Amino acid sequence: MHCHTTVSDGCLSPAEIKDVYKKMGYSIVAYSDHELIRDHSDLNDEEFLAITASEFSIDDTKPSFVLPSREGINEWNARKVIHLGVYSKDPHNTFHPATDNTLFDMWWRAQGRDIGEIECDGYHREYTIESINEMVQKLNEAGFLVQLNHPNWSLNDMNDYLNIKGLWSLEILNYATERLTGAEYCPYIYDHMVRSGMHSLFCNMGDDNHNSGGSLRESFGGSTFIGAESLEYGQIMNALEKGGFYCASGKNPPKINALYVEDNVIKIDCSPATDVIVTGLGRSYCPYQAEGEEITHAEFLLEPKDVMFRITVRDKHGNNAHTHYYNVEDFYEEVSK
């Protein structure tokens, strides 16, 4: 869901990305190159689908906090950014909301890169909540799902992410920046956002794989499992839009094979795990932990007072599979039917 190629600042071509990800068992890659949205439908086959995507940024023009005074320190390290992962519901839709105030756009042009003509509605980006929300709104209206990427690396705080409207998902693991900083696995930020009232927000994971030098060290760390009947663009995007997916970390990630309710009991079938955890919207955590052998099934009583819940499955390697938050009422309605 977060991939860079030689179209922007990645080191592998789109075709090379397809090849290495297919070899690892992936069926889908969202090609989200910086500031440039490209239709890669020519890569599609019966076993592979390219999602038309991009990563758009809004950069602050001044530091948001004071760094210690040292000669040669780079003040950009204290500037906030907003990076939005955008995913087109139509594979041929390459709408671009803006071309100004972006480091990447200026860099591509300065390097003489042939980025072609960009259709733009003249929107001017500024690092204000009003401008960020305007950009998200334009992208939603143009037919895109919009995700907030790597909030910690971006120096985002609660005043930023709690006030963004119209988001589809939050990136709770950015594999590249997690390896770089150790601080980009952030399901707690997802909890903050849902508690603040963003009850329809989903969560996701991505690689952010620039892979400098041609290595694959930033690949295969954050993946998405999508529930769809076929590998068809409309079905995949419909499942993503409605939350028919979960995300997981690791090159051999834990899997959630089934999540269902019987007699007001949540039941989870999963790959071998050490922990299965239900996290409620309030101060509610219900762990189901293995004692001795690993577990492949867990059950929890579903109570109306829990309001909302999400599931985490953790394996012995410390990898995690995450669902988004569900409304308890939806499950009770299903039971009553």
Side-chain angles (χ1 to χ4, degrees):
M1 295 299 289
H2 192 161
C3 176
H4 299 292
T5 75
T6 51
V7 171
S8 61
D9 59 345
C11 291
L12 299 178
S13 70
E16 288 171 327
I17 285 289
K18 171 185 174 178
D19 182 55
V20 298
Y21 273 81
K22 281 189 70 173
K23 287 180 179 178
M24 286 295 291
Y26 287 70
S27 303
I28 302 170
V29 168
Y31 287 89
S32 56
D33 280 299
H34 292 286
E35 304 302 325
L36 305 172
I37 184 162
R38 295 288 185 263
D39 179 356
H40 292 291
S41 297
D42 59 305
L43 297 176
N44 294 348
D45 59 38
E46 292 182 355
E47 299 176 340
F48 184 83
L49 184 72
I51 293 178
T52 301
S54 187
E55 186 176 23
F56 295 139
S57 65
I58 300 178
D59 308 315
D60 205 347
T61 57
K62 58 184 183 302
S64 60
F65 59 91
V66 178
L67 287 168
S69 179
R70 294 200 302 274
E71 184 177 352
I73 198 163
N74 184 355
E75 72 167 19
W76 184 80
N77 288 325
R79 293 185 185 183
K80 290 183 177 182
V81 298
I82 289 287
H83 279 203
L84 300 174
V86 303
Y87 309 93
S88 180
K89 300 177 191 178
D90 177 348
H92 310 304
N93 178 10
T94 57
F95 170 82
H96 195 294
T99 56
D100 64 331
N101 187 25
T102 145
L103 294 174
F104 294 103
D105 178 63
M106 291 185 288
W107 189 83
W108 303 146
R109 295 186 188 280
Q111 295 294 317
R113 295 286 295 272
D114 180 15
I115 63 175
E117 293 298 321
I118 298 176
E119 181 181 350
C120 172
D121 64 0
Y123 162 70
H124 178 71
R125 295 184 237 195
E126 296 178 349
Y127 197 97
T128 64
I129 195 63
E130 293 78 15
S131 180
I132 294 165
N133 282 332
E134 182 181 358
M135 187 171 184
V136 174
Q137 181 180 352
K138 287 181 179 294
L139 288 162
N140 283 332
E141 291 173 351
F144 290 87
L145 305 178
V146 182
Q147 173 173 282
L148 180 65
N149 288 343
H150 47 61
N152 188 67
W153 182 89
S154 299
L155 306 182
N156 303 149
D157 58 33
M158 289 188 292
N159 293 324
D160 301 303
Y161 55 73
L162 293 185
N163 289 299
I164 302 176
K165 299 177 181 178
L167 290 174
W168 159 72
S169 183
L170 172 73
E171 188 178 59
I172 63 169
L173 171 69
N174 182 290
Y175 184 58
T177 54
E178 170 64 17
R179 294 201 67 185
L180 182 69
T181 68
E184 207 64 66
Y185 172 53
C186 52
Y188 58 91
I189 292 181
Y190 178 51
D191 292 336
H192 292 175
M193 295 174 77
V194 175
R195 288 173 191 152
S196 76
M198 301 181 185
H199 294 162
S200 61
L201 186 71
F202 300 131
C203 61
N204 222 313
M205 296 183 180
D207 283 343
D208 201 359
N209 54 351
H210 299 86
N211 290 324
S212 59
S215 75
L216 297 176
R217 63 177 175 268
E218 294 173 346
S219 291
F220 321 126
S223 53
T224 301
F225 292 81
I226 303 169
E229 293 183 1
S230 68
L231 194 63
E232 187 272 325
Y233 198 97
Q235 287 196 25
I236 295 300
M237 295 308 298
N238 185 60
L240 286 172
E241 183 174 15
K242 293 182 177 180
F245 65 92
Y246 69 91
C247 56
S249 63
K251 293 187 177 181
N252 185 23
K255 295 178 176 61
I256 300 174
N257 299 319
L259 169 62
Y260 54 102
V261 173
E262 290 180 347
D263 298 324
N264 294 347
V265 175
I266 307 172
K267 299 185 178 183
I268 301 102
D269 296 327
C270 59
S271 57
T274 59
D275 304 85
V276 178
I277 304 166
V278 173
T279 302
L281 193 61
R283 190 176 289 107
S284 176
Y285 302 91
C286 302
Y288 195 101
Q289 299 172 325
E291 295 184 6
E293 294 184 2
E294 295 169 290
I295 53 179
T296 58
H297 180 81
E299 299 184 3
F300 302 88
L301 179 64
L302 188 64
E303 299 184 15
K305 65 180 178 60
D306 294 327
V307 184
M308 298 185 75
F309 70 92
R310 62 177 177 85
I311 305 292
T312 304
V313 174
R314 181 173 300 137
D315 69 15
K316 64 182 180 181
H317 303 292
N319 296 317
N320 297 286
H322 286 270
T323 73
H324 56 77
Y325 269 100
Y326 294 95
N327 287 298
V328 169
E329 289 182 354
D330 293 340
F331 280 81
Y332 269 92
E333 289 174 3
E334 289 297 318
V335 170
S336 66
K337 292 176 182 177

